[in-house]
Amino acid sequence: MAEASTHYRACNLCEAICGVEIRVEGGRVVSIRGDAADPLSRGHICPKAVALQDLETDPDRLRRPLRRRGDGGWEPVGWDEALDEIAARTRRIQAEHGRDAVGVYLGNPNVHNLGAMLYLRPFVRALGSRNRFSATSVDQLPHHLAAMLMFGHQFLLPVPDVDRTDFLLVLGANPLASNGSMMTAPGMRERLKALRGRGGKLVVVDPRRTETARVADRHLAIEPGTDALFLLALLDVLFAEDLARPGRLEPFTDGLAALREAAAEFPPERVAAATGIAAEEIRTLARELAAAPSAACYGRLGVSTQEFGGLCQWLVNAVNVVTGNLDRPGGAMFPRPAVDVLSFLGRGHRGRWRSRVRGLPEFASELPSAALAEEIDTPGPGRIRALFTVAGNPVLSTPNGARLERALPGLELMVAIDPYLNETTRHAHLILPTTPPLQRDHYDLVFHALAVRNTARYSTRLFPPEPGLRDDWQVLDGLARRLDRGSLAARLRRRLVAALGPRRQLDLALRAGPHGAGFLPFRRGLTLARLAREPHGVDLGPLEPCLPEKLATPERRIDLAPAPYLADLGRLRARLAATAAAEPAERNGELRLIGRRQVQSNNSWMHNVPRLMRGKDRCTLLMHPDDAACRGLASGAQVEIVSRTGRVCAPLEVTDEIKPGVVSLPHGWGHHRPGTRLATAAATPGASLNDVTDEERIDALSGNAAFSGVPVTVAAAAQ
Ligand SMILES: Nc1nc2c(c(=O)[nH]1)N[C@H]1C(S)=C(S)[C@@H](COP(=O)(O)OP(=O)(O)OC[C@H]3O[C@@H](n4cnc5c(=O)[nH]c(N)nc54)[C@H](O)[C@@H]3O)O[C@H]1N2
Ligand SMILES: Nc1nc2c(c(=O)[nH]1)N[C@H]1C(S)=C(S)[C@@H](COP(=O)(O)OP(=O)(O)OC[C@H]3O[C@@H](n4cnc5c(=O)[nH]c(N)nc54)[C@H](O)[C@@H]3O)O[C@H]1N2
Ligand code: SF4
Ligand SMILES: [Mo]
């Protein structure tokens, strides 16, 4: 290992999946640069790429399984002993209290992990519980609901064709900080510059003048949680001014008249006060959208994690259909990835069962994570008594995480598959640590399917797995094998598939995919072996129109007006009436709290990377100068933020980039909890936004958490 070598791979830390070039000398990483030959990222990387190396060397990262002792300390335990003990205790609890007594929470890094993507399903199936939760319902659930209801499959997710569009309308996304989400487009700064360079326009709708809004042609500072009203008004103008042009989509689209009728109730003049956006602005925008040769409307986290998130994602798709921009170059398009995720993930279903305490509907076999804590702390039959967390930190990432934090110690068994002893995993009885990114093979099953260009890239591991660690898939498989109680035939079938391992499963999926070589010898097309010989990945071309063939609805038709959305308009109507009736002064000095993302963070788990933590405290509360002045507050002051659920303190940052009446705190902080092993993070702990968000604020339609617009009061903190 003494000599120098260069390793090429994809960074899997966020959705941008940038190609990286890693120089290794003497078995150590000496540099990480962008891979200029990657057909998608073309050399782009962000400051977080160095984390690939720092995660490797982090002394706090766990390197063997741990078991909690009676005195609260931790002892090392062998893998087989740990897995056997977990299986035995799980079975005992399920035998006594039923299968639903075991819950599972799947966190975000699973989607960035090939092995987890392939082995989670058999593991969850082996648990056999209806109490399944994941980060989906604190994030993008409304996107899946809209895809299922409108296009027939929860993963028929349109992606804005940013490289060819003439007009990009962005709502509730800040790709210059997040590097893009449900839109894999590494290097958004350059891509947006190119958009404007070719005469295109960028309009950003956001309560904050974000990094992305700053490079836009126009920024519309919307009142949090009112985007559904805004989008309906936009549609109303398109219809009323005869600008609706679905074009080639029209012969296979239903519900235009119903949508038109729904939108007619919300003309711009009616929603202007509530949204904070002048009627004329909305009219102008509608006309520009309609006039653009191509346009894409893209709504992301900020419009998904709000009380009308379901309606928002429906209406975003609707705008793209009504303007004829769905499935056309420069519009919102469907990728054609090398592995066809649609073929092995279910279409989705909703409401087949409900959560025990609040009666919230499942979606695709998962219950809303906003209900996790109450399912643990509310006594009665069916209560969750054992919990598995897999790559998740729900104490910091789910609404009213503090309630969950209080509930976790009451579990009879908690198991965390996670490389860190953090705010959530410290409550586990056993922690099973898995390999960091450079010690495993990777192919992005999910993000190639959300990318603005069709490409494929396989990464082999750079370093061998550390002796005490296993890959996520091995741990999940070890548990599934011990817990599976299906019929002999079913178990055998599952064993056979699992025994293939991730590489062979991937090879089969690539061969069977739309760019694949199939199963006969000497055929052109992709196989894993061929892909692995291309260290920079392969280019499979720009996005191409694929409708109506790709639609998964029974008649291959788009439904523009699904009944659940029309029914949910009643809730929006009531909200609009209530807003119109309330005087602003009646808010009693109440502010609306929203979140934000920062380039050097990644949700809750990258604050232990020293090189990402340099500089001043980033966990600050943003407040408009007017709101600060009337409270007698100035930048740097410690303020207390109080909501229905709790209170946190943070330093204030006064700035006119935030809309008056709105304040913003980033999420993923709050590393002061005792009993964690995160030395760097604990040195600059920040406060957890989710100590003040509210598990009762959800989008009633989808069950997604409504983080945006939490009512809070802010005052100087007592010393
Ligand atoms: N208020 C507010 N809350 C939010 C958000 C917000 O904007 N505002 N955003 C939401 C969103 S979009 C998301 S996706 C969620 C994220 O919510 P979570 O997924 O619950 O949280 P993360 O912070 O991503 O934590 C990831 C965990 O996985 C571990 N981990 C990292 N890599 C691996 C791996 O390869 N294998 C295993 N087994 N473990 C690994 C880390 O140590 C960490 O414990 O948070 C949500 N919460
Ligand atoms: N650096 C970094 N990158 C990340 C992450 C990270 O934590 N850090 N997390 C990753 C994950 S898991 C995800 S899901 C993606 C998310 O990626 P994005 O969707 O780009 O998410 P954010 O950057 O949080 O941007 C959401 C925007 O919505 C705005 N907003 C809040 N409320 C409203 C509202 O009511 N209406 C409107 N119109 N806007 C509103 C906020 O001000 C914010 O600018 O980022 C991913 N990438
Ligand atoms: S943008 Fe995302 S994928 Fe690219 S280097 Fe940064 S963290 Fe990695
Ligand atoms: Mo996310």
Side-chain angles (χ1 to χ4, degrees):
M1 292 284 265
E3 78 265 38
S5 63
T6 306
H7 170 80
Y8 294 95
R9 70 185 295 110
C11 173
N12 68 324
L13 296 178
C14 89
E15 300 182 33
I17 59 172
C18 301
V20 291
E21 181 192 287
I22 304 182
R23 292 283 300 163
V24 183
E25 277 173 32
R28 297 175 57 108
V29 171
V30 292
S31 73
I32 299 183
R33 293 202 187 88
D35 176 4
D38 183 292
L40 186 62
S41 63
R42 306 176 219 148
H44 172 80
I45 51 166
C46 84
K48 277 198 303 293
V50 299
L52 289 171
Q53 174 184 4
D54 291 5
L55 289 170
E56 199 62 39
T57 51
D58 187 347
D60 286 338
R61 185 167 55 74
L62 304 180
R63 287 171 167 84
R64 49 186 171 169
L66 294 181
R67 176 165 56 200
R68 188 132 50 89
R69 291 193 311 251
D71 66 0
W74 296 93
E75 63 188 12
V77 54
W79 275 102
D80 286 333
E81 188 185 341
L83 297 177
D84 287 342
E85 177 182 330
I86 292 164
R89 290 172 70 176
T90 303
R91 276 171 193 247
R92 217 177 305 132
I93 290 167
Q94 287 188 317
E96 197 177 331
H97 302 286
R99 305 198 79 169
D100 296 339
V102 175
V104 59
Y105 173 87
L106 311 177
N108 167 280
N110 285 307
V111 244
H112 300 268
N113 184 317
L114 171 67
M117 282 306 290
L118 294 172
Y119 284 79
L120 271 171
R121 274 222 297 187
F123 163 67
V124 169
R125 182 170 295 153
L127 284 180
S129 170
R130 289 185 162 186
N131 277 315
R132 308 178 194 171
F133 304 85
S134 82
T136 291
S137 54
V138 289
D139 184 347
Q140 82 287 1
L141 176 47
H143 294 253
H144 297 302
L145 183 65
M148 180 181 86
L149 294 175
M150 302 178 77
F151 311 132
H153 195 296
Q154 56 166 332
F155 280 92
L156 269 173
L157 300 162
V159 176
D161 186 9
V162 286
D163 293 344
R164 289 182 292 185
T165 196
D166 298 290
F167 197 105
L168 185 61
L169 170 60
V170 174
L171 298 99
N174 185 13
L176 289 199
S178 70
N179 287 303
S181 184
M182 304 192 84
M183 170 184 67
T184 289
M188 274 300 281
R189 190 177 287 279
E190 287 70 39
R191 289 178 200 266
L192 293 178
K193 207 180 272 173
L195 159 69
R196 299 192 59 210
R198 61 180 179 263
K201 264 200 170 159
L202 171 67
V203 175
V204 173
V205 181
D206 198 303
R208 190 183 138 227
R209 194 171 66 247
T210 60
E211 292 82 345
T212 309
R214 263 177 246 151
V215 303
D217 295 273
R218 215 151 67 240
H219 167 223
L220 304 178
I222 196 168
E223 187 64 30
T226 64
D227 301 79
L229 294 169
F230 171 81
L231 288 162
L232 281 161
L234 203 61
L235 283 161
D236 175 57
V237 179
L238 291 171
F239 285 119
E241 299 191 1
D242 199 20
L243 301 170
R245 296 273 182 282
R248 64 172 272 273
L249 305 171
E250 192 153 3
F252 51 89
T253 296
D254 295 320
L256 260 169
L259 178 67
R260 179 187 185 123
E261 198 183 314
E265 201 189 323
F266 301 92
E269 290 70 20
R270 217 179 141 219
V271 307
T275 57
I277 299 181
E280 210 38 48
E281 283 278 13
I282 303 179
R283 289 191 184 282
T284 307
L285 182 61
R287 290 171 197 144
E288 287 174 341
L289 262 181
S294 71
C297 176
Y298 165 69
R300 208 21 215 118
L301 187 103
V303 289
S304 171
T305 56
Q306 56 158 277
E307 283 179 291
F308 298 99
L311 289 178
C312 285
Q313 296 303 341
W314 163 49
L315 296 166
V316 164
N317 285 342
V319 167
N320 286 324
V321 174
V322 167
T323 54
N325 280 301
L326 186 78
D327 195 44
R328 92 164 163 210
M333 304 191 75
F334 299 98
R336 193 161 168 264
V339 173
D340 181 11
V341 281
L342 297 193
S343 68
F344 67 90
L345 296 169
R347 286 161 189 255
H349 46 75
R350 173 167 169 270
R352 289 196 184 161
W353 62 85
R354 288 180 174 267
S355 68
R356 175 183 65 110
V357 178
R358 229 189 301 176
L360 300 178
E362 63 80 31
F363 178 85
S365 302
E366 289 181 357
L367 293 168
S369 291
L372 176 56
E374 71 204 23
E375 292 298 329
I376 300 171
D377 69 18
T378 310
R383 170 184 195 170
I384 295 177
R385 290 160 191 274
L387 181 69
F388 287 77
T389 62
V390 187
N393 192 1
V395 164
L396 295 192
S397 59
T398 60
N400 196 358
R403 177 174 176 182
L404 181 65
E405 185 169 40
R406 290 190 298 273
L408 293 179
L411 290 166
E412 289 172 31
L413 174 66
M414 179 174 160
V415 178
I417 304 180
D418 202 291
Y420 282 101
L421 180 44
N422 64 20
E423 300 76 16
T424 296
T425 64
R426 74 189 170 110
H427 296 287
H429 298 94
L430 290 116
I431 307 179
L432 308 175
T434 54
T435 45
L438 298 184
Q439 296 178 25
R440 55 184 199 239
D441 302 334
H442 186 61
Y443 176 85
D444 234 297
L445 288 176
V446 175
F447 299 106
H448 283 308
L450 293 170
V452 297
R453 190 173 179 89
N454 296 314
T455 65
R457 181 165 184 150
Y458 184 67
S459 310
T460 49
R461 62 182 190 219
L462 170 59
F463 297 123
E466 285 164 72
L469 296 181
R470 291 191 180 174
D471 281 348
D472 282 271
W473 71 270
Q474 294 171 307
V475 179
L476 294 166
D477 188 44
L479 288 170
R481 209 169 349 146
R482 286 167 172 83
L483 289 167
D484 196 345
R485 277 167 296 181
S487 69
L488 184 63
R491 268 183 313 186
L492 209 60
R493 188 164 18 87
R494 287 199 277 272
R495 280 292 89 230
L496 283 172
V497 176
L500 292 173
R503 286 180 64 100
R504 256 176 299 171
Q505 289 190 43
L506 177 61
D507 182 46
L508 296 177
L510 285 168
R511 285 170 180 274
H515 309 274
F519 301 95
L520 298 171
F522 314 116
R523 288 264 313 272
R524 289 163 58 88
L526 283 179
T527 64
L528 181 58
R530 288 176 191 165
L531 187 58
R533 283 198 291 273
E534 305 287 345
H536 311 286
V538 294
D539 188 6
L540 302 169
L543 306 187
E544 282 168 26
C546 61
L547 298 190
E549 293 73 26
K550 191 128 183 199
L551 290 169
T553 43
E555 317 266 299
R556 296 201 192 285
R557 298 179 66 77
I558 296 170
D559 188 355
L560 260 191
Y565 293 124
L566 298 180
D568 200 37
L569 287 174
R571 208 164 51 91
L572 189 65
R573 211 171 281 136
R575 169 57 54 88
L576 182 58
T579 319
E583 292 294 323
E586 275 175 31
R587 279 193 190 169
N588 278 331
E590 216 171 70
L591 297 159
R592 305 268 161 211
L593 177 64
I594 63 170
R596 69 180 187 275
R597 280 176 162 70
Q598 299 165 314
V599 179
Q600 280 156 283
S601 285
N602 196 17
N603 296 331
S604 75
W605 71 281
M606 244 162 246
H607 296 146
N608 213 48
V609 174
R611 285 189 280 179
L612 298 182
M613 291 295 279
R614 289 184 192 144
K616 58 180 181 49
D617 187 356
R618 300 199 302 269
C619 187
T620 59
L621 185 78
L622 304 184
M623 183 185 273
H624 190 271
D626 295 350
D627 293 319
C630 72
R631 287 169 180 76
L633 297 169
S635 276
Q638 274 291 321
V639 293
E640 190 180 44
I641 305 145
V642 182
S643 74
R644 182 191 78 85
T645 58
R647 56 185 64 216
V648 291
C649 286
L652 188 71
E653 197 175 328
V654 178
T655 165
D656 68 359
E657 75 181 33
I658 191 109
K659 190 177 167 67
V662 183
V663 285
S664 159
L665 192 71
H667 81 287
W669 298 84
H671 306 297
H672 56 278
R673 272 91 170 153
T676 61
R677 197 176 294 172
L678 298 163
T680 306
T684 321
S688 176
L689 171 58
N690 286 320
D691 283 351
V692 288
T693 57
D694 192 335
E695 78 280 23
E696 287 181 7
R697 290 184 88 244
I698 57 168
D699 166 32
L701 177 63
S702 67
N704 203 83
F707 292 125
S708 182
V710 179
V712 293
T713 57
V714 177
Q719 282 310 304

